[in-house]
């Protein structure tokens, strides 16, 4: 599954909702410059078509503000140590990021299985 998980309370909520499941939480990280590039690209309609497209057609100043907010959330997650591992997405394709997530999850779940947790 995928989706935003910004704090430990949300991690607990997922874990409690599916108590028999083992989770490997990968936090995706993009540097401020890459965030801004991606957000501006989405604003110009040159990326995935998010339902409702909240960034599409927005002025650059607004898009840069969104990038600043995203960078602040990312910094908070970094400081809190959210996730089992962090995948740096700068310069990677979607496929490469997916491969890194799957590989990391497999290692995490295997180590949990072997330790009996």
């Amino acid at each position: 599954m995928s989706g935003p998980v910004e704090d430990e309370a949300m991690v607990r909520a997922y874990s409690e909702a599916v108590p028999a499941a083992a989770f490997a939480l990968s936090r995706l990280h993009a540097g401020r410059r890459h965030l801004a590039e991606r957000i501006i690209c989405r604003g110009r309609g040159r990326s995935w078509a998010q339902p409702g497209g909240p960034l599409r057609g927005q002025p650059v100043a607004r898009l840069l503000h969104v990038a600043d907010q995203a960078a602040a959330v990312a910094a908070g997650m970094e400081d809190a140590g959210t996730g089992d591992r962090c995948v740096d997405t700068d310069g990677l394709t979607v496929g490469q990021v997916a491969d890194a997530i799957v590989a990391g999850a497999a290692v995490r779940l295997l180590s949990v299985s072997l330790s009996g947790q």
Side-chain angles (χ1 to χ4, degrees):
M1 71 181 168
S2 68
V5 178
E6 295 177 3
D7 57 33
E8 289 301 318
M10 196 172 277
V11 172
R12 278 191 304 280
Y14 278 110
S15 296
E16 290 168 1
V18 190
F23 290 90
L25 183 62
S26 296
R27 179 172 38 86
L28 304 183
H29 174 80
R32 168 64 178 79
R33 191 189 85 197
H34 282 91
L35 281 170
E37 288 171 358
R38 292 173 187 173
I39 289 169
I40 288 171
C41 186
R42 285 176 54 196
R44 293 182 176 156
R46 292 189 301 218
S47 183
W48 72 290
Q50 180 180 1
L55 299 176
R56 188 174 214 142
Q58 296 293 316
V60 172
R62 170 73 181 129
L63 297 172
L64 292 174
H65 178 72
V66 170
D68 287 340
Q69 289 177 315
V73 168
M77 291 171 66
E78 177 75 24
D79 291 345
T82 303
D84 298 313
R85 66 188 297 263
C86 178
V87 176
D88 185 352
T89 65
D90 287 355
L92 299 181
T93 66
V94 172
Q96 290 168 325
V97 171
D99 288 345
I101 292 168
V102 170
V107 168
R108 166 79 173 128
L109 295 176
L110 180 60
S111 67
V112 168
S113 175
L114 293 175
S115 68
Q117 292 179 356

